[in-house]
Amino acid sequence: MLNIVIFGPPGAGKGAQSQHIIDKYKLVHLSTGDILRSQIAIGTPLGLQAKKLMDKGELVPDDIVIGMIRYKIENAQNPNGFIFDGYPRTVAQAKALDEVLSENKTAINGVISLEVQYNELVKRILGRGKDSGRSDDQDIKIIENRILVYNDKTAPLIEYYKKQNKYHSINGMGTIDDIFKRISSVMDKF
Ligand code: ADP
């Protein structure tokens, strides 16, 4: 199996690049943000709880997202591998992911980290908010908070994956196609 984490701050382009990666490498796309938004759309209690936090740009509790990811991994039908998008976002989530994968006799092959300047992140998120209607993409205070939460809770994962020799930094500025070529040249060596 080929399992990768697509990593980076909000607005780095993880979702857009995931679409290209799943086409080329035939991986199952697991985006915790998408899963949470589908729970909100169907109005489950979990969705209602998550929405309050997402609307403030805060993280949803670890036990909730860890449970969701575990369920998706264990119920996938003969996958070639997974691309984890927006997960893990804390060290506890990364440890849980390593455990679940190891229980299923597999592991993360590598982490693709998209490097994008702060001003560009904010610009991309506001642009996306106009089309998607996502409320967390339309308010500058919420966007700033998400980037702060990333720096505080998620950036420590860089060290976590560097220690495992799995961390690959990619320049995330430029066109979607150019960035995808950079990603492919790294992933082709996994
Ligand atoms: P972005 O990468 O632009 O922030 P996502 O769809 O990945 O977009 O995440 C949107 C929101 O969903 C986050 O701000 C957070 O509230 C929640 N969320 C998504 N994934 C996780 C996760 N792994 N852990 C905790 N909260 C999450």
Side-chain angles (χ1 to χ4, degrees):
M1 272 172 68
L2 175 63
N3 300 308
I4 74 154
V5 173
I6 183 106
F7 186 83
K14 302 184 295 290
Q17 293 301 329
S18 293
Q19 293 310 319
H20 285 277
I21 296 170
I22 57 175
D23 282 349
K24 176 167 177 191
Y25 299 93
K26 311 291 176 220
L27 304 179
V28 175
H29 182 209
L30 293 184
S31 155
T32 39
D34 286 351
I35 302 169
L36 289 165
R37 280 184 290 277
S38 71
Q39 294 286 318
I40 293 173
I42 54 178
T44 63
L46 189 155
L48 289 176
Q49 188 192 345
K51 185 174 182 344
K52 290 190 196 129
L53 293 159
M54 291 165 79
D55 281 349
K56 290 190 276 189
E58 297 294 330
L59 295 184
V60 172
D62 282 340
D63 53 345
I64 293 183
V65 284
I66 290 170
M68 288 181 346
I69 281 287
R70 173 180 283 278
Y71 180 85
K72 293 282 183 184
I73 292 172
E74 290 176 349
N75 288 282
Q77 304 292 324
N78 279 325
N80 271 338
F82 297 98
I83 173 161
F84 298 95
D85 165 8
Y87 182 97
R89 267 176 149 94
T90 63
V91 172
Q93 291 180 24
K95 287 185 175 159
L97 179 61
D98 283 346
E99 275 170 31
V100 182
L101 291 175
S102 132
E103 284 164 28
N104 288 278
K105 311 266 178 289
T106 185
I108 293 293
N109 297 77
V111 174
I112 301 285
S113 175
L114 297 172
E115 308 281 346
V116 176
Q117 289 154 11
Y118 186 92
N119 291 346
E120 176 71 11
L121 295 175
V122 175
K123 199 175 105 192
R124 287 185 190 176
I125 297 174
L126 286 170
R128 180 173 71 188
K130 287 200 189 105
D131 303 326
S132 71
R134 268 176 64 176
S135 48
D136 62 341
D137 282 349
Q138 297 183 37
D139 179 319
I140 186 71
K141 286 269 166 292
I142 298 172
I143 295 169
E144 283 168 356
N145 190 44
R146 283 157 63 197
I147 298 173
L148 280 176
V149 169
Y150 168 83
N151 287 331
D152 185 30
K153 306 243 170 71
T154 309
L157 290 176
I158 298 171
E159 273 311 304
Y160 180 88
Y161 286 116
K162 275 187 179 167
K163 278 194 189 131
Q164 299 189 3
N165 278 324
K166 291 180 178 169
Y167 187 78
H168 301 268
S169 172
I170 303 267
N171 175 4
M173 304 286 287
T175 68
I176 290 184
D177 283 347
D178 285 345
I179 299 162
F180 181 60
K181 280 186 198 131
R182 293 178 202 137
I183 294 176
S184 283
S185 69
V186 173
M187 281 190 61
D188 287 343
K189 296 187 198 109
F190 286 162

